[in-house]
C-alpha cells in the first residue's frame, strides 16, 4: 500500500480543500447541496481555462500577466464586430474569432519573448497595459448588452438542469465542456507529444535545451500563442454566459489565477507543474472566492486569504526542500 506523500503541493492543497469544505459545511447547512456544487463548477470555468494556459507558461520557465487583458480584448472586439456588422454567426463562429484574436495577441508576446529574448514579466506587463489601453481608447468602453444571437443561444445550452426538493434551481452550462476539452488538449500536448517534453525541457534549463537541439524560439512562440488563444476562449465564454460584453470585466483576476497555479505546485522557476495540481488550486481559489461569507468572513478578506495561501503554498514546500537538503548534506 503506497503512502501519502505530504511533501507534494497537490496533497497539501487537497487537504486544505477538504478542511475548507468541512468548515463551510459546519457553518452552513446549505453548503453541501447540489446547488452549491453546480455554482462552484460554473464559477470554475473561466478561471480554470486561464489557469491551464498560465500553467503551460510557468512550466516553460516564463510568466504571463497579460492574459486577462487579452481575454477582455478578444471578447469585446469579437462581440462589437459581430454586432456592428449585423452578421448572424453561430456560437462556434464567434468562439473561433475570439480564439483567433487571442492567439494573435499572444503572438505579439511571443515575438518580444522568443525573438527579441526580452524578460517575460516585463513584456507581459507592458502588453497588459497596451492591450487594455488600446481596447478602451480605440475599440470601445461601453457595455454591450445586445450580444449576437449565437452567443445568446449558447448561454441557454445546458448540460444539466433541475430543481431541488427545496425548490432551488440548479444548472450546468455546456461552457463547462470547454474547460474539459482544454484540460484534455493540454494534457495531451504536455504528456503525449514531443512538444510537451520540449516545454518541460526549456523550463528546466534553456541553455541545456538549446544544446540538445530543441528549437527554443519556436517552442516559446507556441506557448504564448496557446495561452493567448485560451484567454480568447475564456473571454468569449464569460461574455456568452453573462449575455453581456463589458470591457472592464476580468480585470484583476491575474492574482487569483497565478495563485491557483502556484498553489497546485507549478514552479515559478519553470520545469515542473501538473494538471491535477492546477485543478486543485483552482478548486481552492473558487472555494475561497465563493464561500468566505458562509464562514462569517467579510468578502473584503478574499485578497488577504489568497495572499496567505500563496505564502503557505510556496513557503512550505521550499522549507521542506531546504530541510531535505540539510539532512542529505
Amino acid at each position: 500500500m503506497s503512502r501519502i506523500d505530504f511533501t507534494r503541493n497537490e496533497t497539501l492543497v487537497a487537504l486544505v480543500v477538504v478542511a475548507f469544505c468541512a468548515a463551510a459545511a459546519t457553518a452552513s447547512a446549505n453548503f453541501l447541496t447540489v446547488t452549491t456544487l453546480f455554482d462552484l463548477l460554473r464559477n470554475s470555468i473561466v478561471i480554470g481555462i486561464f489557469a491551464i494556459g498560465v500553467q503551460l507558461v510557468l512550466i516553460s520557465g516564463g510568466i504571463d500577466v497579460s492574459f486577462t487583458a487579452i481575454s477582455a480584448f478578444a471578447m469585446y472586439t469579437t462581440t462589437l464586430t459581430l454586432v456592428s456588422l449585423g452578421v448572424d454567426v453561430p456560437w462556434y463562429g464567434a468562439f473561433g474569432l475570439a480564439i483567433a484574436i487571442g492567439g494573435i495577441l499572444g503572438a505579439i508576446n511571443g515575438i518580444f519573448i522568443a525573438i527579441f529574448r526580452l524578460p517575460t514579466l516585463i513584456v507581459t506587463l507592458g502588453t497588459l497595459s497596451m492591450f487594455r489601453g488600446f481596447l478602451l481608447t480605440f475599440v470601445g468602453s461601453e457595455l454591450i448588452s445586445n450580444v449576437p444571437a449565437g452567443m445568446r443561444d449558447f448561454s441557454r445550452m445546458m448540460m444539466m438542469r433541475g430543481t431541488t426538493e427545496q425548490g432551488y434551481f440548479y444548472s450546468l452550462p455546456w461552457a463547462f465542456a470547454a474547460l474539459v476539452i482544454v484540460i484534455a488538449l493540454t494534457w495531451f500536448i504536455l504528456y503525449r507529444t514531443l512538444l510537451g517534453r520540449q516545454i518541460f525541457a526549456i523550463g528546466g534549463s534553456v541553455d541545456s535545451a538549446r544544446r540538445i537541439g530543441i528549437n527554443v524560439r519556436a517552442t516559446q512562440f507556441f506557448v504564448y500563442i496557446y495561452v493567448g488563444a485560451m484567454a480568447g476562449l475564456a473571454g468569449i465564454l464569460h461574455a456568452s454566459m453573462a449575455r453581456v460584453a463589458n470591457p472592464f470585466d476580468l480585470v484583476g483576476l491575474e492574482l487569483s489565477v497565478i495563485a491557483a497555479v502556484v498553489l497546485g505546485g507549478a514552479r515559478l522557476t519553470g520545469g515542473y507543474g501538473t494538471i491535477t495540481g492546477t485543478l486543485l488550486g483552482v478548486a481552492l481559489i473558487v472555494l475561497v472566492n465563493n464561500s468566505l461569507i458562509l464562514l462569517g468572513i467579510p468578502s473584503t478578506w478574499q485578497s488577504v486569504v489568497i495572499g496567505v495561501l500563496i505564502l503557505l503554498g510556496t513557503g512550505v514546500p521550499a522549507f521542506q526542500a531546504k530541510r531535505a537538503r540539510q539532512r542529505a548534506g
Side-chain angles (χ1 to χ4, degrees), residues 54 57-58 60-65 113 120-122 124 224 258 268:
V54 169
V57 178
L58 288 184
S60 73
I63 191 166
D64 188 347
V65 296
I113 292 167
T120 56
L121 179 60
I122 301 300
T124 55
Y224 288 94
I258 294 174
L268 291 171

Side-chain angles (χ1 to χ4, degrees), residues 204-216:
S205 171
V206 173
D207 292 335
S208 299
R210 284 199 180 97
R211 279 197 291 271
I212 61 176
I214 292 176
N215 189 334
V216 174

Side-chain angles (χ1 to χ4, degrees), residues 1-5:
M1 182 178 176
S2 60
R3 297 176 58 186
I4 298 175
D5 186 357

Side-chain angles (χ1 to χ4, degrees), residues 23-319:
T26 304
S28 172
N30 293 325
F31 181 77
L32 292 179
T33 61
V34 175
T35 307
T36 303
L37 174 63
F38 278 57
D39 285 344
L40 293 174
L41 291 175
R42 181 198 299 269
N43 291 331
S44 69
I45 295 172
V46 171
I47 191 173
I49 294 174
F50 279 148
I52 292 294
V54 169
Q55 180 199 354
L56 210 68
V57 178
L58 288 184
I59 290 174
S60 73
I63 191 166
D64 188 347
V65 296
S66 68
F67 58 89
T68 55
I70 292 175
S71 185
F73 193 106
M75 170 263 289
Y76 192 81
T77 305
T78 297
T79 308
L80 183 63
T81 301
L82 296 179
V83 169
S84 300
L85 295 177
V87 181
D88 189 14
V89 175
W91 62 267
Y92 45 84
F95 281 33
L97 179 58
I99 291 171
I101 292 173
I104 291 170
L105 298 182
I108 294 174
N109 281 333
I111 289 171
F112 285 107
I113 292 167
I115 308 298
F116 296 111
R117 299 185 182 182
L118 297 179
T120 56
L121 179 60
I122 301 300
V123 169
T124 55
L125 272 174
T127 52
L128 162 71
S129 179
M130 185 176 75
F131 295 153
R132 188 164 291 159
F134 191 91
L135 172 66
L136 297 177
T137 305
F138 299 106
V139 181
S141 58
E142 295 183 359
L143 185 143
I144 303 174
S145 55
N146 59 330
V147 298
M151 292 170 63
R152 288 199 303 274
D153 293 341
F154 184 81
S155 70
R156 300 189 190 97
M157 296 166 62
M158 297 293 164
M159 295 175 71
M160 299 173 68
R161 71 171 76 198
T163 306
T164 64
E165 293 180 356
Q166 293 75 27
Y168 294 110
F169 177 76
Y170 64 87
S171 64
L172 185 64
W174 270 102
F176 187 76
L179 173 60
V180 176
I181 292 171
V182 167
I183 292 169
L185 177 62
T186 307
W187 176 87
F188 181 79
I189 291 172
L190 283 176
Y191 301 108
R192 289 293 182 270
T193 66
L194 177 61
L195 176 62
R197 289 192 286 276
Q198 291 174 340
I199 292 171
F200 277 104
I202 66 172
S205 171
V206 173
D207 292 335
S208 299
R210 284 199 180 97
R211 279 197 291 271
I212 61 176
I214 292 176
N215 189 334
V216 174
R217 286 184 179 179
T219 307
Q220 286 180 322
F221 202 63
F222 166 80
V223 167
Y224 288 94
I225 290 176
Y226 188 80
V227 71
M230 293 301 103
L233 173 62
I236 200 69
L237 284 171
H238 172 80
S240 297
M241 289 190 292
R243 300 185 192 182
V244 64
N246 184 352
F248 297 97
D249 274 357
L250 305 171
V251 176
L253 270 180
E254 301 90 351
L255 176 63
S256 296
V257 172
I258 294 174
V261 181
V262 172
L263 285 170
R267 292 177 188 156
L268 291 171
T269 52
Y272 182 80
T274 64
I275 299 261
T276 304
T278 296
L279 294 179
L280 285 169
V282 169
L284 180 56
I285 294 298
V286 171
L287 275 169
V288 169
N289 287 338
N290 291 273
S291 307
L292 283 184
I293 294 176
L294 290 176
L295 297 173
I297 301 172
S299 58
T300 51
W301 279 79
Q302 282 183 2
S303 296
V304 177
V305 174
I306 290 173
V308 170
L309 289 173
I310 291 175
L311 290 175
L312 290 175
T314 55
V316 171
F319 178 72

